[in-house]
Amino acid sequence: MDGQDSQAICGVDAARIRELRAREERAYAKARPKSHKVAGHGLTGFLGGVPMHWMADWPMPFPMIVDKASGATLTDMDGNALDDFCLGDTGSMFGHSPAPVARAIRRQARRGLTYMLPSEDALNLGKLLTDMFGLPFWQIATTASDANRFALRVARAVTGRDRILVFNGCYHGAVDETMVRLKDGKPVNRPGLAGEFRDLTQATRIIEFNDVEALEGELAHGDVACVITEPVLTNSCMVLPDEGFHAALRAATREHGALLLIDETHTISTAHGGYTAAQGLEPDLFVLGKPVAGGVPASVWGMSAAVAARWATYQATKEPGYSGMGTTLSANPLQFAAMRAMLEEVMTPAAYEHMEKLAARLEKGLARAIARHGLRWHVVRVGARVEFICAPGPLKNGAEAEAAHKPELEAAIHLALVNRGCLIAPFHNMMLVSPATRKRQVDGLVTAFGAILGELAA
């Protein structure tokens, strides 16, 4: 072998990774002649050949065209059925088209889809949100990105401060000021931003997750309106909080007059009521998107009574005019109907119990496969959300998470899993267990993962 071929990535020979990827690409194409015919050279009329640019981020040589998805199974137009552990990257975390949500959509479709006024379902929804997530006051948006943007506007308005604080490696959708990273210890705009003309670090302070000393230091400047964070970093190889970190975060924000926004869009996998309920967190602002309406685009953002009172005072004194918060299709009756069905009938304690049990089985199975093949990798789980990470663990912060991400190796594994009937998220190595997921599907994923590792580590 030459020098390039003999290199290893996370204990796996680089040449073996490339060989596996090439072989799996051929197998993928052979199994999908219909998808290849219509999508092999891009979908006609779409920029970059796909309706949304991240559809090109999957490791397949071309997109599979989906025919249908039900429960925890997805079927493409060539008739290939896959056990779905991606579940729309959390958007369908409770299964594809849950029956109560499908019924609610059909019912509301006969009554109108949008009219900028509350419906009967809205009369129930506010109480359901308060009962499940604890905060007393709520607003509806269309995406978690929007919800985070609007909540940050409220934070700045009521505190009179202009900066926010984020953690390196964070992800909060398309919120501009969170698109920053630490490079050699210094804040910079996140690499790859398209058309960004501002220095986003001027509006944002950034530190490493789990670094309480740095948190205290940055908040001491007295200009931070809000700390926005996921309870667990989830979009950069998963990073769990150190014991006591959240208590220190809450104490520091209160001491320095900053609000705390918890974004549960991914960590809603933790338990009924999310990580916030499970761990007794006390956010001032709370955001949840993706799965809250069962796949219908919707998100919610809530606030404490204290923040609501400060907002009312601000509203009474601010200059009249457009707030910059809200979009025309937000808070429509289709969202109300779908969210009510989700909160009442789908996102139940019993559903979470099933998800937790099978996710624990998946976690153990993946860890055993890794150990069996002598790889220094590890597995992390937050409730129904599981991730294998091709590096020793646990990871402590965003910098370690970025270093642990190995796209070439991960892409080969992902594609090989697809060819063995298992779909996981294209971003990192995330897998979700839904109420519709069955034990045989979990065991099938573990078996496929073990077989792939056997080929890579032979």
Side-chain angles (χ1 to χ4, degrees), residues 57-252:
D57 291 343
W58 289 88
M60 302 88 156
F62 54 87
M64 68 176 77
I65 305 300
V66 177
D67 177 47
K68 61 181 178 181
S70 178
T73 302
L74 181 150
T75 305
D76 68 20
M77 70 185 306
D78 288 279
N80 299 294
L82 294 98
D83 295 329
D84 190 1
F85 294 89
C86 173
L87 295 169
D89 191 25
T90 310
S92 294
M93 190 182 86
F94 294 89
H96 294 287
S97 298
V101 176
R103 289 194 296 270
I105 291 171
R106 286 194 295 270
R107 172 176 55 83
Q108 188 58 49
R110 294 191 293 267
R111 301 178 177 184
L113 297 178
T114 187
Y115 28 76
M116 294 187 71
L117 288 166
S119 67
E120 186 176 350
D121 289 315
L123 302 178
N124 299 276
L125 187 56
K127 184 178 185 303
L128 289 168
L129 290 167
T130 295
D131 289 347
M132 184 172 289
F133 303 116
L135 295 175
F137 297 105
W138 294 88
Q139 289 281 274
I140 309 300
T142 299
T143 69
S145 297
D146 285 340
N148 279 318
R149 275 191 284 263
F150 303 156
L152 289 176
R153 278 185 175 270
V154 168
R156 286 179 164 127
V158 304
T159 63
R161 298 176 175 183
D162 61 353
R163 290 208 180 198
I164 65 166
L165 186 147
V166 302
F167 295 105
N168 190 36
C170 71
Y171 180 72
H172 300 287
V175 179
D176 287 354
E177 57 265 55
T178 68
M179 297 291 185
V180 295
R181 289 292 183 268
L182 287 176
K183 183 177 182 180
D184 300 325
K186 297 181 180 180
V188 297
N189 280 12
R190 181 175 175 173
L193 293 181
E196 183 54 66
F197 60 94
R198 297 161 295 177
D199 179 2
L200 298 175
T201 66
Q202 297 302 303
T204 307
R205 296 188 178 277
I206 178 170
I207 60 172
E208 291 288 5
F209 196 68
N210 284 321
D211 190 339
V212 176
E213 183 178 354
L215 173 69
E216 291 276 4
E218 292 299 313
L219 291 178
H221 290 281
D223 57 1
V224 173
C226 185
V227 175
I228 175 173
T229 186
E230 296 181 280
V232 175
L233 293 188
T234 64
N235 217 55
S236 58
C237 294
M238 199 145 55
V239 179
L240 300 176
D242 288 343
E243 184 175 355
F245 174 69
H246 278 295
L249 171 60
R250 181 66 280 193

Side-chain angles (χ1 to χ4, degrees), residues 277-302:
Q279 299 297 323
L281 305 186
E282 299 177 356
D284 300 300
L285 298 156
F286 180 104
V287 165
L288 173 62
K290 292 193 180 182
V292 72
V296 172
S299 66
V300 297
W301 56 286

Side-chain angles (χ1 to χ4, degrees), residues 19 27 73 89 120 125 165 188 212 222 270 295 323 325 340 386 449 453:
E19 290 167 4
T73 302
D89 191 25
E120 186 176 350
L125 187 56
L165 186 147
V188 297
V212 176
T270 308
S323 68
M325 295 156 47
R340 179 183 178 186
V386 182
F449 182 73
L453 294 195

Side-chain angles (χ1 to χ4, degrees), residues 333-377:
L334 185 63
Q335 293 173 326
F336 300 148
M339 282 192 281
R340 179 183 178 186
M342 284 295 294
L343 297 181
E344 286 185 338
E345 302 182 67
V346 181
M347 295 172 67
T348 64
Y352 273 100
E353 183 179 355
H354 172 86
M355 294 155 68
E356 174 83 16
K357 182 178 179 180
L358 284 189
R361 184 181 183 91
L362 175 58
E363 176 189 22
K364 291 176 182 177
L366 297 174
R368 282 196 299 266
I370 289 168
R372 187 166 62 248
H373 293 287
L375 295 166
R376 297 181 64 238
W377 303 359

